[in-house]
Amino acid sequence: MEPRRRDYCVERPVLSQGQLEALGRRGLAPGTRRWRPRLQCSRARARALLLQHLPVLAWLPQYPVHTWLLGDLLSGLSVAIMQLPQGLAYALLAGLPPVFGLYSSFYPVFIYFLFGTSRHISVGTFAVMSVMVGSVTESLAPDEAFLQAENATVNKTARDATRVQVASTLSVLVGLFQVGLGLVRFGFVVTYLSEPLVRGYTTAASVHVLISQLKYVFGVHPSSRSGPLSLIYTVLEVCQKLPQSVVGNVVTAAVAGVGLAAVKLLNDKLQHRLPVPLPGELLTLIGATGISYGVGLKHRFGVAVVGDIPAGLIPPAAPSPQHFAKLVGSAFTIAVVGFAIAISLGKIFALRHGYRVDSNQELVALGLSNLVGGIFQCFPVSCSMSRSLVQEGAGGSTQVAGAVSSLFILVVIVKLGELFQDLPKAVLAATILVNLKGMLTQVTDIRALWEANRPDLLIWLVTFVATILVNLDLGLVVAVVFSLLLVVARTQLPRYSVLGQVPGTDIYRDVAEYSEATEVPGVKVFRSSATVYFANAELYSDALKQRCGVDVDRLISRKKLLLQRALGSGRHKGTLQEQAAACEDTSAANNVHTSIRDAESGCEDCKAEVSTGNEPEEMAASGQGAAQAPGTPTLKALGLPQPDFHSLVLDLSTLSFVDTVCLKSLKNIFRDFREIEVEVYMAACHTPVVAQLEAGRFFDASISKQHLFASVHDAVTFAVQHPGSGPTSPVMVYPRSLPRTHTARGTEDLDSELSALGPGRGAGRWGRRHSSFRNKDFLT
């Protein structure tokens, strides 16, 4: 069904900025002063702060037990069943004994239950965070540093103790960064991590995870490496040691991986029939542990197992201050990445279920989870997408599900942990590799971004390659710097357009796109698609002069040269009127498309010499004389080509701010074009930009608010009615004959009609329409 055409009529005078301010009674915007309530002290303010920083006190008293409790219990048990094997496996990624993955699945989860604002994310161990921690622990506590002199074997007890100390200290630093950033309301820092950047980074991190697990799959022992190209060297070393692979490890990992993948495939096929997904990881762990214990995989086939898992909790320990200096950079990187992953998932679920997530409080909650966890020997955590989806899908409605899962993990730590001593490490590696499917399939983003947005694809590729080559921490730095530089580069290369009027409307569009959009005779309308600031102000001026078709700088320099010659000459061979008449035939033939060189030769032929006397009456009566200083000869009198337009309108609707360089650039544009007898107008400035123009003292005796119009159409209307003479007074300017009506269409009709007009190969020349042009063509 076609939309009904809706017309509306507007009759109003042409409005400059000064007239618009007078008509609308513009005043100063009231200051918000948000800091004042923060300094007030009252019981209500104290209660609000308590509920803000301890959200559990706000929602738990209102918890609907009969509606949500059963779903949260089932959801918490489902998440705990996934958390158990993932905690054991991701501890290996971090280079730590598996039991510390269980600790990291208990303390941080319970802390987040108290302080978090998201109802559905599952906080705990995560593959990307674990591999980042592993790169730090293996670089600061490599195997080579714990070789025993007598038999050249690694002292695993001392190595693991050192790595645990490094990881827990790292977790404390990560927590301090996150809490500090949250308290100063620095949650917006995650906005600098765009979605292509995060997806490219997590894809590269999944490759790091994949490579790190090859040593458990094949039973080889490559050297610990860190820094640039460490991943490449590790792959080459693993390939060299493939002949030394333990067959038992390879078979165990293959069988466990195939079985787990089959269970996940079955879950996908039966997801609408099963109340909760089948616990594939838990079934795999229980089965593999039973087979390993019954068959004796460790003693008969040399399969590496988890080993001793101490029962009960360990006492808290203070972080190691001597590691602070070495861990600060990595801690900040891990803090930002962990928060970016958590807040991204949190906002997804919040939008889906209709509640709000406070990014600053999320930063504090995640920071406290890592801070308290680090004191209790945990490594840094974030949230897992797979577990979060299970928590939501199993009926979880609040973080009560997280508290239930943490209590289940506590039972495992205290009573059931020792049952998994015979669990093969190859099974944990297979569990990790199967769960990497979701992140590895993000490679398909390349095709989608190629079709949708090439700059985003470039960010994705640079992030991926940098993270692969220079490691996880430096890779993130390279990615962020590159994405910011790309934003700057895109503002430096905007689209510059010369606008024409769409027939019968007050709408102006690019003449290169809309074939029916035509330039108003004598008026150039110019627009940039980006704001003008110090990085692109010069490019804006250059593009303006190029699109206008006039070599402004050369024309000005030639004019000054002729004036200097005239002033320096002691001979005056006639009056200016005679010289102007002698050059009249030559200058009349020149237009905007005439080259300066032709003008120079024409001027030399007529031997023009400028008089320094008083300006003749003919020039004083000229319309262009208002743009020049009194007594200055015109371009025509000098024998120089004249532009084929008398007014220039700058569409500044895209400006979001102005700086000092922009102000100087705009003033130079006014000065340069007035030198070639073209009056400049500005249009469609937003109020904050107008305020910045006023604060920067942009308006003066030569440039007033009467040069700034409410819309492009206002500026064009004024320019056509007053060719070559700028505003001279703040009096309200009315058109000579006010347009009878201004007809505009409804949104749907106008969009369709504009699309029908273009895109085309450019507007037709005004030469075809000039003879039939009348005021009503641009006023109605």
Side-chain angles (χ1 to χ4, degrees), residues 542-560:
D542 294 342
L544 169 62
K545 295 174 182 178
Q546 180 183 5
R547 293 299 181 93
C548 286
V550 180
D551 194 342
V552 178
D553 296 330
R554 187 172 178 83
L555 189 58
I556 293 174
S557 63
R558 182 57 187 164
K559 177 181 177 181
K560 291 181 178 179

Side-chain angles (χ1 to χ4, degrees), residues 688-711:
V689 176
V690 176
Q692 293 174 12
L693 292 175
E694 295 171 340
R697 299 182 179 179
F698 177 77
F699 299 111
D700 52 24
S702 61
I703 306 174
S704 68
K705 286 187 179 180
Q706 305 307 315
H707 290 88
L708 176 57
F709 288 86
S711 69

Side-chain angles (χ1 to χ4, degrees), residues 121-133:
I121 65 172
S122 175
V123 173
T125 56
F126 183 52
V128 174
M129 299 287 288
S130 298
V131 75
M132 294 178 74
V133 174

Side-chain angles (χ1 to χ4, degrees), residues 83-316:
Q83 184 83 274
L84 173 61
Q86 289 185 1
L88 295 172
Y90 292 157
L92 293 180
L93 275 180
L96 306 175
V99 69
F100 290 92
L102 297 181
Y103 300 150
S104 300
S105 301
F106 167 63
Y107 291 106
V109 177
F110 193 78
I111 296 299
Y112 185 83
F113 161 75
L114 299 176
F115 295 94
T117 60
S118 176
R119 301 177 187 171
H120 294 89
I121 65 172
S122 175
V123 173
T125 56
F126 183 52
V128 174
M129 299 287 288
S130 298
V131 75
M132 294 178 74
V133 174
S135 65
V136 175
T137 57
E138 292 181 1
S139 63
L140 294 183
D143 292 340
E144 292 77 8
F146 300 93
L147 292 176
Q148 297 177 346
E150 57 273 9
N151 52 9
T153 58
V154 177
N155 186 348
K156 295 184 178 180
T157 303
R159 181 201 64 184
D160 291 345
T162 303
R163 288 183 176 179
V164 167
Q165 188 180 45
V166 170
S168 60
T169 303
L170 180 64
S171 182
V172 170
L173 285 178
V174 169
L176 289 175
F177 273 122
Q178 291 176 333
V179 171
L181 293 176
L183 291 178
V184 299
R185 310 188 70 79
F186 210 67
F188 69 88
V189 70
V190 74
T191 58
Y192 294 103
L193 304 180
S194 63
E195 183 180 358
L197 188 149
V198 172
R199 292 178 71 86
Y201 185 79
T202 54
T203 305
S206 66
V207 176
H208 278 270
V209 173
L210 174 65
I211 301 303
S212 68
Q213 295 306 293
L214 293 181
K215 59 184 179 182
Y216 299 111
V217 172
F218 294 105
V220 296
H221 302 282
S223 303
S224 298
R225 290 187 173 86
S226 61
L229 300 179
S230 59
L231 188 69
I232 307 299
Y233 293 134
T234 301
V235 172
L236 295 177
E237 187 175 359
V238 169
C239 292
Q240 291 175 355
K241 294 187 176 183
L242 283 180
Q244 306 173 15
S245 300
V246 179
V247 178
N249 277 28
V250 177
V251 174
T252 302
V255 172
V258 171
L260 181 56
V263 173
K264 287 185 174 292
L265 183 61
L266 186 62
N267 282 333
D268 293 337
K269 295 292 184 182
L270 303 177
Q271 59 180 341
H272 298 295
R273 299 182 181 180
L274 296 174
V276 293
L278 296 176
E281 288 88 351
L282 184 62
L283 294 177
T284 302
L285 260 64
I286 293 175
T289 303
I291 293 174
S292 175
Y293 178 77
V295 178
L297 294 180
K298 177 181 179 181
H299 303 290
R300 295 181 58 182
F301 302 100
V303 176
V305 297
V306 170
D308 182 45
I309 298 181
L313 300 173
I314 58 176

Side-chain angles (χ1 to χ4, degrees), residues 263-415:
V263 173
K264 287 185 174 292
L265 183 61
L266 186 62
N267 282 333
D268 293 337
K269 295 292 184 182
L270 303 177
Q271 59 180 341
H272 298 295
R273 299 182 181 180
L274 296 174
V276 293
L278 296 176
E281 288 88 351
L282 184 62
L283 294 177
T284 302
L285 260 64
I286 293 175
T289 303
I291 293 174
S292 175
Y293 178 77
V295 178
L297 294 180
K298 177 181 179 181
H299 303 290
R300 295 181 58 182
F301 302 100
V303 176
V305 297
V306 170
D308 182 45
I309 298 181
L313 300 173
I314 58 176
S320 176
Q322 62 266 27
H323 290 128
F324 281 179
K326 300 177 182 178
L327 296 175
V328 168
S330 299
F332 184 78
T333 303
I334 294 174
V336 173
V337 172
F339 173 63
I341 296 170
I343 195 63
S344 299
L345 287 177
K347 288 185 175 181
I348 290 173
F349 289 117
L351 289 174
R352 187 179 300 176
H353 294 276
Y355 63 91
R356 180 179 175 274
V357 171
D358 185 349
S359 59
N360 293 302
Q361 181 58 28
E362 283 294 293
L363 197 51
V364 172
L366 202 60
L368 289 175
S369 299
N370 284 313
L371 180 61
V372 175
I375 296 174
F376 286 93
Q377 308 293 290
C378 302
F379 56 87
V381 298
S382 183
C383 71
S384 167
M385 175 175 287
S386 60
R387 293 197 308 270
S388 299
L389 291 174
V390 169
Q391 180 168 322
E392 180 202 30
S397 301
T398 65
Q399 281 300 325
V400 170
V404 171
S405 68
S406 66
L407 293 177
F408 183 86
I409 296 297
L410 176 62
V411 173
V412 173
I413 294 173
V414 175
K415 295 294 183 182

